[in-house]
Amino acid sequence: QVKLVESGGGSVQSGGSLRVSCVASGFAYSYSTYCMGWFRQAPGKEREGVATITGEGRTRVADSVKGRFTISRDNAKNTVDLQMDSLKPEETAIYYCATARRKTEWWDCPTDPNKYRNWGQGIQVTASS
């Protein structure tokens, strides 16, 4: 059974930086064959994709965070991280780690939350003005 555990997060002033990490376990196949992604959900809003990464390191990043957020993974440690710089108050949300087995037709990993079956419990990220 796949298990995802997030850590990091917390509170910063607007413009500050935070890093969230996720440790994954319980995969039926090699970790490198799975898409890993970070998603977020703010109060009253739908869950949205922030950044995703393939086992080879190919990334997809939401336009709203390009140049400020960086996703990375370590296949030897089954981890995926999200470095968040220049955080904005409107990015205050619960951030989730998620995974999906990469389909052969996927050139990279989708940012549609509906494509992902396994989720972490989420972690709060707050940027105050």
Short mmCIF file of all heavy atoms in Angstrom, two decimals, residues 45-116:
data_model
loop_
_atom_site.label_atom_id
_atom_site.label_comp_id
_atom_site.label_asym_id
_atom_site.label_seq_id
_atom_site.Cartn_x
_atom_site.Cartn_y
_atom_site.Cartn_z
N LYS A 45 -11.41 26.76 -2.34
CA LYS A 45 -10.98 26.60 -3.73
C LYS A 45 -10.75 25.14 -4.05
O LYS A 45 -10.59 24.30 -3.17
CB LYS A 45 -9.71 27.41 -3.98
CG LYS A 45 -9.90 28.92 -3.88
CD LYS A 45 -8.67 29.65 -4.34
CE LYS A 45 -8.89 31.15 -4.34
NZ LYS A 45 -7.69 31.89 -4.83
N GLU A 46 -10.71 24.85 -5.34
CA GLU A 46 -10.43 23.49 -5.77
C GLU A 46 -8.93 23.18 -5.65
O GLU A 46 -8.09 24.08 -5.70
CB GLU A 46 -10.89 23.29 -7.22
CG GLU A 46 -12.39 23.34 -7.40
CD GLU A 46 -12.81 22.97 -8.81
OE1 GLU A 46 -11.93 22.79 -9.67
OE2 GLU A 46 -14.02 22.87 -9.05
N ARG A 47 -8.65 21.90 -5.53
CA ARG A 47 -7.26 21.49 -5.51
C ARG A 47 -6.64 21.73 -6.88
O ARG A 47 -7.25 21.46 -7.91
CB ARG A 47 -7.17 20.01 -5.12
CG ARG A 47 -5.77 19.54 -4.79
CD ARG A 47 -5.79 18.15 -4.19
NE ARG A 47 -6.52 18.13 -2.92
CZ ARG A 47 -6.59 17.07 -2.12
NH1 ARG A 47 -5.93 15.97 -2.44
NH2 ARG A 47 -7.27 17.12 -0.99
N GLU A 48 -5.41 22.25 -6.89
CA GLU A 48 -4.75 22.55 -8.15
C GLU A 48 -3.33 21.98 -8.16
O GLU A 48 -2.69 21.84 -7.13
CB GLU A 48 -4.70 24.06 -8.39
CG GLU A 48 -3.90 24.84 -7.38
CD GLU A 48 -3.75 26.30 -7.73
OE1 GLU A 48 -4.13 26.70 -8.84
OE2 GLU A 48 -3.24 27.06 -6.88
N GLY A 49 -2.87 21.68 -9.36
CA GLY A 49 -1.52 21.19 -9.52
C GLY A 49 -0.51 22.32 -9.46
O GLY A 49 -0.72 23.37 -10.07
N VAL A 50 0.58 22.09 -8.75
CA VAL A 50 1.65 23.07 -8.62
C VAL A 50 2.84 22.67 -9.48
O VAL A 50 3.32 23.46 -10.29
CB VAL A 50 2.07 23.23 -7.15
CG1 VAL A 50 3.25 24.20 -7.04
CG2 VAL A 50 0.91 23.68 -6.29
N ALA A 51 3.30 21.46 -9.29
CA ALA A 51 4.46 20.98 -10.07
C ALA A 51 4.49 19.47 -10.03
O ALA A 51 4.09 18.86 -9.03
CB ALA A 51 5.76 21.55 -9.49
N THR A 52 4.97 18.88 -11.13
CA THR A 52 5.10 17.43 -11.21
C THR A 52 6.45 17.08 -11.80
O THR A 52 7.11 17.92 -12.44
CB THR A 52 3.99 16.81 -12.07
OG1 THR A 52 4.12 17.31 -13.41
CG2 THR A 52 2.62 17.14 -11.52
N ILE A 53 6.85 15.81 -11.60
CA ILE A 53 8.17 15.40 -12.07
C ILE A 53 8.16 13.91 -12.41
O ILE A 53 7.58 13.09 -11.69
CB ILE A 53 9.24 15.73 -11.00
CG1 ILE A 53 10.65 15.47 -11.54
CG2 ILE A 53 8.98 15.01 -9.69
CD1 ILE A 53 11.75 16.05 -10.65
N THR A 54 8.79 13.57 -13.52
CA THR A 54 8.93 12.17 -13.90
C THR A 54 10.14 11.56 -13.19
O THR A 54 10.95 12.26 -12.59
CB THR A 54 9.14 12.03 -15.42
OG1 THR A 54 10.44 12.56 -15.75
CG2 THR A 54 8.06 12.76 -16.21
N GLY A 55 10.27 10.26 -13.32
CA GLY A 55 11.43 9.59 -12.73
C GLY A 55 12.74 10.05 -13.32
O GLY A 55 13.79 9.99 -12.66
N GLU A 56 12.69 10.52 -14.57
CA GLU A 56 13.91 11.00 -15.24
C GLU A 56 14.19 12.47 -14.94
O GLU A 56 15.20 13.01 -15.38
CB GLU A 56 13.79 10.83 -16.75
CG GLU A 56 13.59 9.39 -17.20
CD GLU A 56 12.15 8.92 -17.07
OE1 GLU A 56 11.25 9.79 -16.95
OE2 GLU A 56 11.91 7.71 -17.06
N GLY A 57 13.27 13.10 -14.21
CA GLY A 57 13.48 14.49 -13.84
C GLY A 57 12.82 15.52 -14.73
O GLY A 57 13.07 16.72 -14.59
N ARG A 58 11.96 15.07 -15.63
CA ARG A 58 11.23 16.01 -16.48
C ARG A 58 10.12 16.65 -15.67
O ARG A 58 9.32 15.94 -15.04
CB ARG A 58 10.66 15.29 -17.70
CG ARG A 58 10.03 16.20 -18.72
CD ARG A 58 9.65 15.40 -19.96
NE ARG A 58 10.82 14.87 -20.63
CZ ARG A 58 10.96 13.61 -21.02
NH1 ARG A 58 9.98 12.75 -20.80
NH2 ARG A 58 12.06 13.22 -21.63
N THR A 59 10.07 17.95 -15.68
CA THR A 59 9.13 18.65 -14.81
C THR A 59 8.05 19.39 -15.58
O THR A 59 8.21 19.74 -16.75
CB THR A 59 9.86 19.65 -13.90
OG1 THR A 59 10.49 20.66 -14.70
CG2 THR A 59 10.90 18.96 -13.04
N ARG A 60 6.95 19.60 -14.89
CA ARG A 60 5.90 20.49 -15.37
C ARG A 60 5.53 21.37 -14.19
O ARG A 60 5.28 20.88 -13.10
CB ARG A 60 4.67 19.72 -15.87
CG ARG A 60 3.63 20.64 -16.51
CD ARG A 60 2.35 19.93 -16.83
NE ARG A 60 2.50 19.00 -17.95
CZ ARG A 60 1.45 18.46 -18.59
NH1 ARG A 60 0.22 18.77 -18.20
NH2 ARG A 60 1.63 17.62 -19.56
N VAL A 61 5.52 22.67 -14.44
CA VAL A 61 5.29 23.62 -13.36
C VAL A 61 4.16 24.56 -13.76
O VAL A 61 4.12 25.04 -14.89
CB VAL A 61 6.58 24.42 -13.06
CG1 VAL A 61 6.35 25.41 -11.91
CG2 VAL A 61 7.72 23.48 -12.72
N ALA A 62 3.26 24.82 -12.84
CA ALA A 62 2.16 25.73 -13.12
C ALA A 62 2.70 27.12 -13.46
O ALA A 62 3.69 27.58 -12.88
CB ALA A 62 1.24 25.82 -11.90
N ASP A 63 2.04 27.78 -14.40
CA ASP A 63 2.49 29.10 -14.84
C ASP A 63 2.59 30.07 -13.67
O ASP A 63 3.48 30.92 -13.65
CB ASP A 63 1.53 29.66 -15.89
CG ASP A 63 1.64 28.93 -17.22
OD1 ASP A 63 2.66 28.25 -17.44
OD2 ASP A 63 0.70 29.05 -18.03
N SER A 64 1.69 29.95 -12.72
CA SER A 64 1.65 30.90 -11.61
C SER A 64 2.87 30.82 -10.70
O SER A 64 3.14 31.77 -9.95
CB SER A 64 0.38 30.67 -10.78
OG SER A 64 0.37 29.36 -10.24
N VAL A 65 3.60 29.72 -10.76
CA VAL A 65 4.75 29.56 -9.85
C VAL A 65 6.08 29.43 -10.60
O VAL A 65 7.13 29.26 -9.96
CB VAL A 65 4.56 28.34 -8.91
CG1 VAL A 65 3.25 28.47 -8.14
CG2 VAL A 65 4.62 27.03 -9.68
N LYS A 66 6.05 29.49 -11.90
CA LYS A 66 7.28 29.36 -12.68
C LYS A 66 8.29 30.42 -12.28
O LYS A 66 7.95 31.59 -12.10
CB LYS A 66 6.97 29.47 -14.18
CG LYS A 66 6.50 28.17 -14.79
CD LYS A 66 6.24 28.30 -16.29
CE LYS A 66 5.76 26.98 -16.85
NZ LYS A 66 5.41 27.08 -18.29
N GLY A 67 9.53 29.97 -12.12
CA GLY A 67 10.59 30.88 -11.72
C GLY A 67 10.71 31.07 -10.23
O GLY A 67 11.67 31.67 -9.74
N ARG A 68 9.73 30.57 -9.48
CA ARG A 68 9.76 30.71 -8.01
C ARG A 68 9.76 29.37 -7.29
O ARG A 68 10.37 29.24 -6.23
CB ARG A 68 8.55 31.53 -7.55
CG ARG A 68 8.49 32.95 -8.10
CD ARG A 68 7.34 33.75 -7.49
NE ARG A 68 6.05 33.17 -7.83
CZ ARG A 68 5.20 32.65 -6.93
NH1 ARG A 68 5.52 32.64 -5.65
NH2 ARG A 68 4.04 32.17 -7.32
N PHE A 69 9.08 28.38 -7.84
CA PHE A 69 9.01 27.06 -7.23
C PHE A 69 9.84 26.07 -8.04
O PHE A 69 9.84 26.10 -9.27
CB PHE A 69 7.58 26.56 -7.18
CG PHE A 69 6.68 27.26 -6.19
CD1 PHE A 69 7.01 28.49 -5.65
CD2 PHE A 69 5.47 26.67 -5.81
CE1 PHE A 69 6.17 29.13 -4.75
CE2 PHE A 69 4.63 27.30 -4.92
CZ PHE A 69 4.97 28.53 -4.39
N THR A 70 10.49 25.16 -7.33
CA THR A 70 11.30 24.12 -7.98
C THR A 70 10.97 22.77 -7.37
O THR A 70 11.03 22.60 -6.15
CB THR A 70 12.79 24.41 -7.80
OG1 THR A 70 13.11 25.70 -8.30
CG2 THR A 70 13.62 23.37 -8.56
N ILE A 71 10.65 21.82 -8.23
CA ILE A 71 10.39 20.46 -7.77
C ILE A 71 11.60 19.60 -8.08
O ILE A 71 12.26 19.76 -9.12
CB ILE A 71 9.11 19.88 -8.42
CG1 ILE A 71 8.74 18.54 -7.80
CG2 ILE A 71 9.26 19.79 -9.94
CD1 ILE A 71 7.37 18.02 -8.23
N SER A 72 11.91 18.68 -7.17
CA SER A 72 13.03 17.76 -7.38
C SER A 72 12.70 16.44 -6.70
O SER A 72 11.84 16.38 -5.82
CB SER A 72 14.32 18.35 -6.81
OG SER A 72 14.20 18.59 -5.42
N ARG A 73 13.40 15.40 -7.10
CA ARG A 73 13.17 14.09 -6.50
C ARG A 73 14.49 13.35 -6.38
O ARG A 73 15.43 13.59 -7.13
CB ARG A 73 12.15 13.28 -7.29
CG ARG A 73 12.60 12.85 -8.65
CD ARG A 73 11.44 12.22 -9.44
NE ARG A 73 11.13 10.86 -8.99
CZ ARG A 73 10.04 10.20 -9.38
NH1 ARG A 73 9.16 10.79 -10.17
NH2 ARG A 73 9.82 8.97 -8.96
N ASP A 74 14.52 12.42 -5.45
CA ASP A 74 15.67 11.54 -5.25
C ASP A 74 15.15 10.11 -5.33
O ASP A 74 14.49 9.65 -4.40
CB ASP A 74 16.32 11.82 -3.90
CG ASP A 74 17.62 11.04 -3.70
OD1 ASP A 74 17.76 9.95 -4.27
OD2 ASP A 74 18.47 11.50 -2.94
N ASN A 75 15.40 9.45 -6.43
CA ASN A 75 14.87 8.10 -6.63
C ASN A 75 15.50 7.08 -5.69
O ASN A 75 14.91 6.04 -5.42
CB ASN A 75 15.07 7.67 -8.08
CG ASN A 75 14.18 8.44 -9.04
OD1 ASN A 75 13.13 8.96 -8.66
ND2 ASN A 75 14.61 8.55 -10.28
N ALA A 76 16.70 7.36 -5.21
CA ALA A 76 17.35 6.43 -4.28
C ALA A 76 16.71 6.49 -2.89
O ALA A 76 16.74 5.51 -2.15
CB ALA A 76 18.83 6.75 -4.18
N LYS A 77 16.13 7.64 -2.57
CA LYS A 77 15.53 7.82 -1.25
C LYS A 77 14.01 7.84 -1.28
O LYS A 77 13.37 7.99 -0.24
CB LYS A 77 16.04 9.12 -0.63
CG LYS A 77 17.55 9.14 -0.38
CD LYS A 77 17.99 10.46 0.23
CE LYS A 77 19.49 10.46 0.49
NZ LYS A 77 19.94 11.76 1.08
N ASN A 78 13.43 7.72 -2.47
CA ASN A 78 11.96 7.77 -2.62
C ASN A 78 11.39 9.08 -2.06
O ASN A 78 10.40 9.08 -1.32
CB ASN A 78 11.29 6.58 -1.93
CG ASN A 78 11.41 5.31 -2.72
OD1 ASN A 78 12.28 5.17 -3.58
ND2 ASN A 78 10.55 4.34 -2.44
N THR A 79 12.01 10.17 -2.41
CA THR A 79 11.55 11.46 -1.93
C THR A 79 11.27 12.42 -3.08
O THR A 79 11.80 12.25 -4.18
CB THR A 79 12.59 12.11 -1.00
OG1 THR A 79 13.81 12.30 -1.72
CG2 THR A 79 12.84 11.25 0.22
N VAL A 80 10.44 13.39 -2.80
CA VAL A 80 10.19 14.49 -3.73
C VAL A 80 10.05 15.76 -2.90
O VAL A 80 9.39 15.76 -1.86
CB VAL A 80 8.94 14.24 -4.60
CG1 VAL A 80 7.69 14.05 -3.77
CG2 VAL A 80 8.76 15.35 -5.63
N ASP A 81 10.70 16.81 -3.35
CA ASP A 81 10.71 18.08 -2.63
C ASP A 81 10.14 19.20 -3.49
O ASP A 81 10.18 19.13 -4.72
CB ASP A 81 12.14 18.46 -2.24
CG ASP A 81 12.76 17.51 -1.23
OD1 ASP A 81 12.01 16.75 -0.59
OD2 ASP A 81 13.99 17.51 -1.10
N LEU A 82 9.66 20.21 -2.81
CA LEU A 82 9.21 21.43 -3.49
C LEU A 82 9.82 22.62 -2.76
O LEU A 82 9.49 22.86 -1.59
CB LEU A 82 7.68 21.52 -3.49
CG LEU A 82 7.10 22.73 -4.23
CD1 LEU A 82 7.33 22.57 -5.74
CD2 LEU A 82 5.61 22.88 -3.93
N GLN A 83 10.71 23.30 -3.44
CA GLN A 83 11.30 24.53 -2.92
C GLN A 83 10.46 25.70 -3.39
O GLN A 83 10.27 25.87 -4.60
CB GLN A 83 12.73 24.68 -3.40
CG GLN A 83 13.41 25.98 -2.99
CD GLN A 83 13.61 26.10 -1.49
OE1 GLN A 83 13.95 25.12 -0.84
NE2 GLN A 83 13.42 27.30 -0.96
N MET A 84 9.98 26.49 -2.44
CA MET A 84 9.09 27.60 -2.76
C MET A 84 9.74 28.91 -2.34
O MET A 84 10.00 29.13 -1.15
CB MET A 84 7.75 27.41 -2.03
CG MET A 84 7.06 26.12 -2.37
SD MET A 84 5.54 25.85 -1.44
CE MET A 84 6.22 25.44 0.17
N ASP A 85 10.02 29.74 -3.31
CA ASP A 85 10.61 31.05 -3.06
C ASP A 85 9.63 32.15 -3.42
O ASP A 85 8.71 31.94 -4.22
CB ASP A 85 11.90 31.20 -3.88
CG ASP A 85 12.96 30.18 -3.51
OD1 ASP A 85 13.10 29.87 -2.31
OD2 ASP A 85 13.65 29.69 -4.42
N SER A 86 9.85 33.31 -2.86
CA SER A 86 8.99 34.47 -3.13
C SER A 86 7.52 34.14 -2.94
O SER A 86 6.69 34.46 -3.80
CB SER A 86 9.26 35.01 -4.55
OG SER A 86 10.61 35.35 -4.73
N LEU A 87 7.20 33.51 -1.86
CA LEU A 87 5.82 33.11 -1.59
C LEU A 87 4.91 34.32 -1.46
O LEU A 87 5.29 35.36 -0.92
CB LEU A 87 5.76 32.27 -0.32
CG LEU A 87 6.04 30.78 -0.49
CD1 LEU A 87 6.40 30.15 0.84
CD2 LEU A 87 4.85 30.07 -1.12
N LYS A 88 3.69 34.13 -1.93
CA LYS A 88 2.68 35.17 -1.89
C LYS A 88 1.57 34.78 -0.93
O LYS A 88 1.28 33.58 -0.78
CB LYS A 88 2.10 35.38 -3.29
CG LYS A 88 3.13 35.70 -4.36
CD LYS A 88 2.49 35.77 -5.74
CE LYS A 88 3.53 36.05 -6.82
NZ LYS A 88 2.92 36.12 -8.16
N PRO A 89 0.92 35.74 -0.31
CA PRO A 89 -0.17 35.41 0.63
C PRO A 89 -1.25 34.55 0.00
O PRO A 89 -1.83 33.68 0.68
CB PRO A 89 -0.70 36.79 1.02
CG PRO A 89 0.46 37.70 0.88
CD PRO A 89 1.22 37.18 -0.32
N GLU A 90 -1.55 34.77 -1.27
CA GLU A 90 -2.60 33.99 -1.93
C GLU A 90 -2.19 32.55 -2.18
O GLU A 90 -3.02 31.74 -2.61
CB GLU A 90 -3.01 34.65 -3.26
CG GLU A 90 -1.87 34.86 -4.24
CD GLU A 90 -1.24 36.24 -4.15
OE1 GLU A 90 -1.16 36.78 -3.02
OE2 GLU A 90 -0.86 36.76 -5.21
N GLU A 91 -0.94 32.22 -1.89
CA GLU A 91 -0.50 30.83 -2.03
C GLU A 91 -0.60 30.06 -0.71
O GLU A 91 -0.16 28.91 -0.63
CB GLU A 91 0.93 30.81 -2.58
CG GLU A 91 0.99 31.34 -4.01
CD GLU A 91 2.35 31.41 -4.60
OE1 GLU A 91 3.30 31.84 -3.89
OE2 GLU A 91 2.49 31.05 -5.78
N THR A 92 -1.15 30.70 0.28
CA THR A 92 -1.45 30.01 1.53
C THR A 92 -2.45 28.90 1.25
O THR A 92 -3.52 29.15 0.67
CB THR A 92 -2.02 30.99 2.55
OG1 THR A 92 -0.99 31.93 2.90
CG2 THR A 92 -2.51 30.28 3.79
N ALA A 93 -2.08 27.69 1.65
CA ALA A 93 -2.92 26.53 1.32
C ALA A 93 -2.36 25.30 2.03
O ALA A 93 -1.29 25.34 2.62
CB ALA A 93 -2.94 26.29 -0.19
N ILE A 94 -3.11 24.23 1.92
CA ILE A 94 -2.58 22.93 2.30
C ILE A 94 -1.93 22.35 1.05
O ILE A 94 -2.56 22.30 -0.02
CB ILE A 94 -3.66 22.00 2.84
CG1 ILE A 94 -4.27 22.59 4.11
CG2 ILE A 94 -3.09 20.62 3.13
CD1 ILE A 94 -5.42 21.81 4.68
N TYR A 95 -0.69 21.92 1.20
CA TYR A 95 0.06 21.36 0.09
C TYR A 95 0.11 19.84 0.23
O TYR A 95 0.41 19.33 1.32
CB TYR A 95 1.47 21.95 0.05
CG TYR A 95 1.50 23.35 -0.53
CD1 TYR A 95 0.90 24.41 0.15
CD2 TYR A 95 2.06 23.60 -1.78
CE1 TYR A 95 0.89 25.69 -0.38
CE2 TYR A 95 2.06 24.88 -2.32
CZ TYR A 95 1.48 25.92 -1.63
OH TYR A 95 1.46 27.18 -2.17
N TYR A 96 -0.19 19.17 -0.87
CA TYR A 96 -0.27 17.72 -0.88
C TYR A 96 0.76 17.13 -1.84
O TYR A 96 0.97 17.64 -2.94
CB TYR A 96 -1.64 17.25 -1.34
CG TYR A 96 -2.78 17.66 -0.44
CD1 TYR A 96 -3.45 18.86 -0.63
CD2 TYR A 96 -3.22 16.82 0.59
CE1 TYR A 96 -4.51 19.23 0.18
CE2 TYR A 96 -4.28 17.17 1.40
CZ TYR A 96 -4.92 18.38 1.19
OH TYR A 96 -5.98 18.74 2.00
N CYS A 97 1.31 16.02 -1.42
CA CYS A 97 2.15 15.19 -2.29
C CYS A 97 1.25 14.09 -2.86
O CYS A 97 0.38 13.57 -2.15
CB CYS A 97 3.27 14.61 -1.43
SG CYS A 97 4.28 13.35 -2.20
N ALA A 98 1.45 13.74 -4.11
CA ALA A 98 0.64 12.70 -4.73
C ALA A 98 1.48 11.93 -5.75
O ALA A 98 2.49 12.42 -6.25
CB ALA A 98 -0.59 13.29 -5.40
N THR A 99 1.00 10.72 -6.06
CA THR A 99 1.73 9.89 -7.00
C THR A 99 0.78 9.13 -7.92
O THR A 99 -0.37 8.84 -7.56
CB THR A 99 2.63 8.89 -6.25
OG1 THR A 99 3.43 8.16 -7.19
CG2 THR A 99 1.82 7.90 -5.42
N ALA A 100 1.28 8.83 -9.11
CA ALA A 100 0.54 8.03 -10.07
C ALA A 100 1.55 7.27 -10.93
O ALA A 100 2.61 7.82 -11.27
CB ALA A 100 -0.35 8.91 -10.95
N ARG A 101 1.20 6.06 -11.27
CA ARG A 101 2.07 5.31 -12.16
C ARG A 101 2.07 6.00 -13.51
O ARG A 101 1.03 6.29 -14.07
CB ARG A 101 1.58 3.87 -12.31
CG ARG A 101 2.52 2.97 -13.10
CD ARG A 101 3.56 2.34 -12.22
NE ARG A 101 4.66 1.75 -12.96
CZ ARG A 101 4.62 0.57 -13.57
NH1 ARG A 101 3.49 -0.13 -13.58
NH2 ARG A 101 5.66 0.11 -14.19
N ARG A 102 3.26 6.27 -14.00
CA ARG A 102 3.35 7.00 -15.26
C ARG A 102 2.87 6.14 -16.42
O ARG A 102 3.34 5.02 -16.60
CB ARG A 102 4.78 7.47 -15.50
CG ARG A 102 4.96 8.32 -16.74
CD ARG A 102 6.41 8.73 -16.90
NE ARG A 102 6.64 9.46 -18.14
CZ ARG A 102 7.86 9.75 -18.60
NH1 ARG A 102 8.94 9.38 -17.90
NH2 ARG A 102 8.00 10.41 -19.72
N LYS A 103 1.98 6.66 -17.22
CA LYS A 103 1.48 5.96 -18.39
C LYS A 103 2.48 6.10 -19.53
O LYS A 103 3.15 7.14 -19.65
CB LYS A 103 0.11 6.50 -18.80
CG LYS A 103 -0.99 6.28 -17.75
CD LYS A 103 -2.32 6.76 -18.26
CE LYS A 103 -3.40 6.59 -17.22
NZ LYS A 103 -3.62 5.18 -16.87
N THR A 104 2.53 5.11 -20.39
CA THR A 104 3.51 5.13 -21.47
C THR A 104 3.29 6.30 -22.42
O THR A 104 4.24 6.80 -23.02
CB THR A 104 3.48 3.81 -22.25
OG1 THR A 104 2.13 3.56 -22.68
CG2 THR A 104 3.92 2.65 -21.36
N GLU A 105 2.03 6.75 -22.54
CA GLU A 105 1.75 7.84 -23.47
C GLU A 105 2.03 9.22 -22.87
O GLU A 105 1.90 10.23 -23.55
CB GLU A 105 0.28 7.78 -23.94
CG GLU A 105 -0.75 7.94 -22.84
CD GLU A 105 -1.20 6.61 -22.25
OE1 GLU A 105 -0.40 5.66 -22.25
OE2 GLU A 105 -2.35 6.53 -21.80
N TRP A 106 2.38 9.27 -21.61
CA TRP A 106 2.68 10.56 -20.98
C TRP A 106 4.13 10.94 -21.24
O TRP A 106 5.05 10.26 -20.79
CB TRP A 106 2.46 10.49 -19.46
CG TRP A 106 1.03 10.37 -19.04
CD1 TRP A 106 -0.07 10.46 -19.83
CD2 TRP A 106 0.55 10.13 -17.72
NE1 TRP A 106 -1.21 10.30 -19.08
CE2 TRP A 106 -0.86 10.11 -17.78
CE3 TRP A 106 1.17 9.96 -16.48
CZ2 TRP A 106 -1.65 9.90 -16.65
CZ3 TRP A 106 0.39 9.76 -15.36
CH2 TRP A 106 -1.01 9.73 -15.45
N TRP A 107 4.33 12.07 -21.92
CA TRP A 107 5.70 12.57 -22.13
C TRP A 107 6.24 13.12 -20.82
O TRP A 107 7.41 13.00 -20.51
CB TRP A 107 5.68 13.64 -23.21
CG TRP A 107 7.05 14.16 -23.53
CD1 TRP A 107 7.97 13.58 -24.34
CD2 TRP A 107 7.65 15.37 -23.04
NE1 TRP A 107 9.12 14.35 -24.39
CE2 TRP A 107 8.95 15.44 -23.61
CE3 TRP A 107 7.23 16.39 -22.18
CZ2 TRP A 107 9.81 16.50 -23.35
CZ3 TRP A 107 8.10 17.43 -21.92
CH2 TRP A 107 9.37 17.48 -22.50
N ASP A 108 5.35 13.80 -20.08
CA ASP A 108 5.72 14.23 -18.74
C ASP A 108 4.56 13.87 -17.81
O ASP A 108 3.70 13.08 -18.19
CB ASP A 108 6.05 15.72 -18.70
CG ASP A 108 4.91 16.61 -19.19
OD1 ASP A 108 3.80 16.07 -19.42
OD2 ASP A 108 5.11 17.82 -19.34
N CYS A 109 4.53 14.42 -16.62
CA CYS A 109 3.50 14.05 -15.66
C CYS A 109 2.43 15.13 -15.59
O CYS A 109 2.76 16.32 -15.51
CB CYS A 109 4.11 13.84 -14.27
SG CYS A 109 5.23 12.43 -14.20
N PRO A 110 1.17 14.75 -15.63
CA PRO A 110 0.08 15.74 -15.65
C PRO A 110 -0.04 16.48 -14.32
O PRO A 110 0.39 16.00 -13.28
CB PRO A 110 -1.16 14.88 -15.91
CG PRO A 110 -0.80 13.54 -15.38
CD PRO A 110 0.67 13.38 -15.64
N THR A 111 -0.63 17.65 -14.40
CA THR A 111 -0.90 18.43 -13.19
C THR A 111 -2.38 18.37 -12.80
O THR A 111 -2.80 19.05 -11.87
CB THR A 111 -0.48 19.90 -13.39
OG1 THR A 111 -1.11 20.41 -14.58
CG2 THR A 111 1.02 20.03 -13.52
N ASP A 112 -3.14 17.56 -13.50
CA ASP A 112 -4.55 17.35 -13.16
C ASP A 112 -4.64 16.44 -11.94
O ASP A 112 -4.24 15.28 -12.01
CB ASP A 112 -5.27 16.73 -14.36
CG ASP A 112 -6.73 16.45 -14.07
OD1 ASP A 112 -7.20 16.71 -12.94
OD2 ASP A 112 -7.41 15.98 -14.99
N PRO A 113 -5.18 16.94 -10.83
CA PRO A 113 -5.25 16.10 -9.62
C PRO A 113 -6.03 14.80 -9.84
O PRO A 113 -5.77 13.81 -9.15
CB PRO A 113 -5.98 17.00 -8.61
CG PRO A 113 -5.77 18.38 -9.10
CD PRO A 113 -5.70 18.28 -10.60
N ASN A 114 -6.95 14.79 -10.77
CA ASN A 114 -7.77 13.60 -11.00
C ASN A 114 -6.97 12.44 -11.57
O ASN A 114 -7.46 11.30 -11.60
CB ASN A 114 -8.93 13.94 -11.94
CG ASN A 114 -9.91 14.91 -11.31
OD1 ASN A 114 -10.30 14.76 -10.15
ND2 ASN A 114 -10.29 15.93 -12.05
N LYS A 115 -5.75 12.72 -12.05
CA LYS A 115 -4.91 11.66 -12.59
C LYS A 115 -4.16 10.90 -11.49
O LYS A 115 -3.52 9.90 -11.78
CB LYS A 115 -3.89 12.25 -13.56
CG LYS A 115 -4.51 13.03 -14.72
CD LYS A 115 -5.24 12.13 -15.69
CE LYS A 115 -5.67 12.93 -16.92
NZ LYS A 115 -6.47 12.10 -17.86
N TYR A 116 -4.25 11.38 -10.27
CA TYR A 116 -3.44 10.82 -9.18
C TYR A 116 -4.32 10.07 -8.19
O TYR A 116 -5.37 10.55 -7.77
CB TYR A 116 -2.67 11.95 -8.48
CG TYR A 116 -1.61 12.53 -9.38
CD1 TYR A 116 -1.95 13.40 -10.41
CD2 TYR A 116 -0.29 12.16 -9.24
CE1 TYR A 116 -0.98 13.90 -11.28
CE2 TYR A 116 0.69 12.67 -10.09
CZ TYR A 116 0.34 13.53 -11.11
OH TYR A 116 1.30 14.02 -11.96
#
